[in-house]
Amino acid sequence: MGYSSSLSTRLLALALSVSLLFTSSSGHGHSWDPYTDKAKMIHHDGPMLTGNVKLALMWYGDCGKDIKNTMRNFIKSLVLPGKDHLQPQVTRWWEVVESYQAMMPGAKPGKSPKIKVEVVKQSTNKSYKHGKVLTLQAHIPILIEELTKGDTSVLPVIVAARDVSIQGLCNGKCADHLLTEEPKPRPYIIVGNPETECPEECGWPFVPAEPGSKGPVLKPPSGNMAADAMVIAFASALADAVTNPMENGIYHENSATPMGPAAVCKGIFGPGAAPGNPGKVQTDPKTGGNFNAHGNNSKRFLLPAIWNPATKACWTL
């Protein structure tokens, strides 16, 4: 599906956003406040992703090397600590996600087993074969099939270029974990690009949250706003996918929608976080980039807070 002009693309994206916004916001009353509301993560009898989590990445559109390299370095950093041993490490953040295994029936006491995340397949689609506005029903299942060739052992991740809109994003979510439709539902992740798509919401805290916001604007650790913001969004979606892959695993029962370990702590990156203020984080003395985690290959990342089962509260590095 192609489009003859960027105007038609934006109009369709706007129509999708308005429709989804109305659907998701009407009739649910109280919205979630991560700074004051208390989450209660409950196991709903479904599985977690454990052992080896194999990712199949599709770079849809011209994503650019900065985004690709930053996201791939983050994925490696989940299981490979940096050789310089600087603290805190991305691996420590991932250990909290791994600790959710203790909430599963029959879990053994002690430290939870490792969950190894690795990229086993990548695909690039620079031709915009299915257009620049991707819908969950018409386009995403086709992309997943093209990417995986029916291999259900991998977790598909669709990453959008700056000029691509994905249905469901920009309405409170900058990435998401979802299921394909029956009869054989499978989990997948979509990641939006905030460079032109809702930068105030999905580019924050590297761009002002809204006009007049009093919180500090951070400098992206890699130097690329979109790449670092997409790592934040992807990390959140990955944590949710691992703990609740089939939408019947571990989550908080919010009135509007089930919320995973990162969703209930949205907007918190360090101590002292408040609306419009990400909290206290570190600053690279050489680049000025802001971060809270060291990764593999001397990379630095800003990672979102997640709900910690041990403390039953939002936790950040």
Side-chain angles (χ1 to χ4, degrees):
M1 183 177 181
Y3 294 93
S4 59
S5 69
S6 61
L7 177 59
S8 61
T9 298
R10 295 296 172 210
L11 287 174
L12 182 51
L14 178 61
L16 286 169
S17 297
V18 170
S19 174
L20 284 161
L21 180 61
F22 179 80
T23 301
S24 62
S25 63
S26 60
H28 291 299
H30 176 67
S31 60
W32 181 256
D33 184 346
Y35 307 99
T36 58
D37 293 341
K38 301 297 182 183
K40 187 176 182 181
M41 290 289 173
I42 298 174
H43 180 232
H44 294 79
D45 299 326
M48 275 186 64
L49 296 182
T50 59
N52 293 334
V53 177
K54 302 175 183 179
L55 303 182
L57 306 181
M58 173 173 282
W59 309 100
Y60 190 85
D62 187 4
C63 292
K65 66 177 183 179
D66 286 348
I67 289 172
K68 292 181 179 180
N69 289 338
T70 301
M71 290 190 64
R72 287 186 296 226
N73 277 320
F74 166 67
I75 294 168
K76 289 181 181 178
S77 298
L78 291 170
V79 294
L80 293 175
K83 294 181 180 180
D84 46 21
H85 300 296
L86 296 173
Q87 298 298 326
Q89 290 278 329
V90 174
T91 51
R92 177 69 187 100
W93 184 89
W94 189 243
E95 285 175 357
V96 176
V97 177
E98 292 171 332
S99 73
Y100 273 72
Q101 294 174 92
M103 298 178 66
M104 302 296 287
K108 297 180 180 179
K111 191 174 182 179
S112 295
K114 292 292 183 183
I115 299 176
K116 182 181 179 182
V117 183
E118 62 178 332
V119 177
V120 297
K121 185 174 184 179
Q122 295 184 72
S123 174
T124 300
N125 188 327
K126 289 186 177 182
S127 66
Y128 303 95
K129 179 179 178 181
H130 301 285
K132 294 186 177 182
V133 177
L134 303 179
T135 63
L136 301 182
Q137 289 75 31
H139 303 115
I140 296 299
I142 296 175
L143 291 176
I144 290 174
E145 180 60 30
E146 292 176 351
L147 174 62
T148 67
K149 301 295 190 296
D151 183 358
T152 57
S153 70
V154 299
L155 176 63
V157 181
I158 311 298
V159 183
R162 60 179 296 179
D163 51 353
V164 174
S165 299
I166 304 182
Q167 178 188 3
L169 301 184
C170 278
N171 294 304
K173 293 184 178 181
C174 308
D176 204 0
H177 145 245
L178 299 162
L179 286 178
T180 56
E181 294 183 346
E182 298 285 357
K184 295 181 179 180
R186 63 177 298 172
Y188 66 93
I189 292 173
I190 51 176
V191 184
N193 187 313
E195 210 169 336
T196 55
E197 294 290 315
C198 53
E200 294 84 2
E201 181 174 359
C202 293
W204 186 83
F206 305 122
V207 298
E210 57 186 24
S213 175
K214 297 180 180 180
V217 177
L218 304 185
K219 184 174 181 179
S222 76
N224 185 303
M225 179 279 287
D228 288 310
M230 291 168 79
V231 163
I232 293 171
F234 170 67
S236 301
L238 180 62
D240 291 354
V242 166
T243 55
N244 185 27
M246 302 304 294
E247 299 183 355
N248 60 357
I250 301 171
Y251 59 86
H252 169 76
E253 291 183 340
N254 186 40
S255 59
T257 181
M259 301 179 72
V264 297
C265 302
K266 184 178 180 180
I268 300 173
F269 295 91
N277 187 335
K280 184 179 180 181
V281 297
Q282 299 187 54
T283 301
D284 187 320
K286 294 182 179 180
T287 66
N290 297 115
F291 67 99
N292 59 9
H294 296 271
N296 186 256
N297 200 25
S298 299
K299 301 301 181 181
R300 294 175 172 87
F301 303 95
L302 186 69
L303 298 184
I306 51 177
W307 194 85
N308 189 334
T311 62
K312 293 181 170 50
C314 290
W315 172 93
T316 186
L317 290 165

